[in-house]
Amino acid sequence: MAVLMKDIAQRANVSVSAVSQALRNTGTLSPRTRHRIIAIAKEMGYVFPDTERQTRLAVVCPDGSISESEVYNGFYEGIKTSLGDAICLVAAASNPEAFPISSITNGSEEIDGVIFFGGEADHPVLQALVNHGIKCVILNRESNDRRVSAVSFDNHGAFYEATMHLHGHGHTSFAYIYVQPMKTWSKMRLEGCKEAVEEIGGQLEIVSVERSTDLTEVVRTVSKKATAILAENDVLAANVLRVASALGLRVPQDFALLGCDNLQRSKRTNPTISTIDVPFQKIGESAGQLLKDLTNGKYSYAQLVVPGELICRQSCGCEK
């Protein structure tokens, strides 16, 4: 039976990542630790990999296909720009049993690192990967787990700025609408909105819906309390606008509306939807570079935040 890196890690009482660094002469291991691991590997009869081989990285999206939306496709295009041919595995799975983790961790794929998007930092697939010592970068999420580095959008700052922009139009009563369950990125957007509303002494309604299309009663009720609605994303904002039109409400006359992501649909509505441009490709590129730096031992952990841009259109009252 072939000796695997996890077998060496168990014998040497180190992580699989440490074994990978030692055998490939990468990372920041001390010379003493590196030599000890190599000696154990030789003793066990391990077949050493080609140290000249290209770094091999995986892209994992646990909740759907990579290109099923503008958001996911944008992330992936950025990742490809940064990593190119280093990407040797692209997979989607909702749990460790459905994901080929064994092929990554037992040496048959010899994966050096993973970019993970579409799930939270505590997702079981991601946790299974880091438990095997694989370097991981999560996209558009914050991580308190120092085994998981992160590249995220400045959700808090973007919604703070957006709320202040609406205040500049004279609004002091706001509503934030999100789809259950609230994701971490949506929580940060809400916090940015809250901070701005508290600063100006305004009022904020926080409204949850089970589905982005189930909005009739929500829009009817909220439009009586708030003069400005911030939707957690453009998909929800477009549905708010559709329902408002069906109810005979006018945007921005009856209430201003703002979304997030700058999806193509936000430019095609009537009125056009004010939004926040999230640089998905830039986030993907940054994540790819960070993963390369992690696997090369330049960093052991990092969190990067990428800013966005407020796009003002008709729904907030900026364009006639």
Side-chain angles (χ1 to χ4, degrees), residues 244-317:
S245 177
L247 292 173
L249 297 170
R250 301 168 302 162
V251 176
Q253 293 88 343
D254 292 317
F255 64 85
L257 177 65
L258 192 139
C260 186
D261 291 341
N262 195 24
L263 301 182
Q264 289 299 315
R265 71 178 66 189
S266 66
K267 306 173 187 177
R268 299 169 181 162
T269 56
N270 184 22
T272 53
I273 297 174
S274 299
T275 185
I276 299 163
D277 182 59
V278 179
F280 300 113
Q281 288 195 228
K282 183 177 180 180
I283 292 172
E285 286 185 44
S286 299
Q289 183 59 54
L290 176 56
L291 186 59
K292 287 194 289 188
D293 290 339
L294 289 166
T295 56
N296 290 333
K298 185 175 181 180
Y299 304 115
S300 60
Y301 168 80
Q303 289 216 42
L304 306 179
V305 177
V306 179
E309 179 185 359
L310 183 62
I311 307 295
C312 300
R313 297 192 181 113
Q314 294 172 330
S315 71
C316 70

Side-chain angles (χ1 to χ4, degrees), residues 146-175:
R146 293 189 65 85
R147 301 173 302 168
V148 179
S149 293
V151 179
S152 63
F153 173 62
D154 185 11
N155 293 291
H156 182 284
F159 268 69
Y160 173 88
E161 180 186 356
T163 306
M164 284 300 193
H165 175 78
L166 292 170
H167 177 57
H169 281 285
H171 298 285
T172 57
S173 57
F174 304 87

Side-chain angles (χ1 to χ4, degrees), residues 75-90:
F75 282 142
Y76 187 52
E77 289 302 313
I79 293 167
K80 287 197 297 183
T81 298
S82 183
L83 297 181
D85 293 339
I87 301 173
C88 67
L89 177 65
V90 179

Side-chain angles (χ1 to χ4, degrees), residues 68-191:
E68 70 174 7
S69 72
E70 288 181 59
V71 176
Y72 284 6
N73 191 56
F75 282 142
Y76 187 52
E77 289 302 313
I79 293 167
K80 287 197 297 183
T81 298
S82 183
L83 297 181
D85 293 339
I87 301 173
C88 67
L89 177 65
V90 179
S94 59
N95 59 73
E97 290 70 34
F99 181 73
I101 289 178
S102 60
S103 69
I104 289 179
T105 58
N106 68 11
S108 63
E109 288 286 353
E110 293 185 347
I111 298 296
D112 298 288
V114 169
I115 289 180
F116 189 87
F117 62 94
E120 302 293 334
D122 61 353
H123 194 286
V125 169
L126 180 58
Q127 287 299 305
L129 291 167
V130 296
N131 286 339
H132 280 88
I134 295 174
K135 296 294 185 182
C136 293
V137 175
I138 189 171
L139 291 189
N140 206 30
R141 302 291 195 276
E142 293 189 351
S143 171
N144 295 321
D145 185 342
R146 293 189 65 85
R147 301 173 302 168
V148 179
S149 293
V151 179
S152 63
F153 173 62
D154 185 11
N155 293 291
H156 182 284
F159 268 69
Y160 173 88
E161 180 186 356
T163 306
M164 284 300 193
H165 175 78
L166 292 170
H167 177 57
H169 281 285
H171 298 285
T172 57
S173 57
F174 304 87
Y176 181 86
I177 303 180
Y178 70 95
V179 178
Q180 298 176 338
M182 181 177 273
K183 306 294 192 301
T184 55
W185 50 263
S186 187
K187 290 178 183 178
M188 295 306 298
R189 292 174 184 183
L190 174 57
E191 288 304 313

Side-chain angles (χ1 to χ4, degrees), residues 159 166 174-179 205 207-224 226-260 265-266 269-274 315-316:
F159 268 69
L166 292 170
F174 304 87
Y176 181 86
I177 303 180
Y178 70 95
V179 178
E205 292 280 331
V207 183
S208 66
V209 294
E210 292 185 3
R211 295 180 299 275
S212 64
T213 55
D214 187 16
L215 296 169
T216 301
E217 288 306 314
V218 167
V219 173
R220 180 183 285 118
T221 302
V222 170
S223 62
K224 296 176 182 178
T227 62
I229 295 176
L230 296 101
E232 68 175 359
N233 57 35
D234 283 347
V235 174
L236 189 56
N239 284 324
V240 168
L241 184 61
R242 174 183 55 79
V243 170
S245 177
L247 292 173
L249 297 170
R250 301 168 302 162
V251 176
Q253 293 88 343
D254 292 317
F255 64 85
L257 177 65
L258 192 139
C260 186
R265 71 178 66 189
S266 66
T269 56
N270 184 22
T272 53
I273 297 174
S274 299
S315 71
C316 70

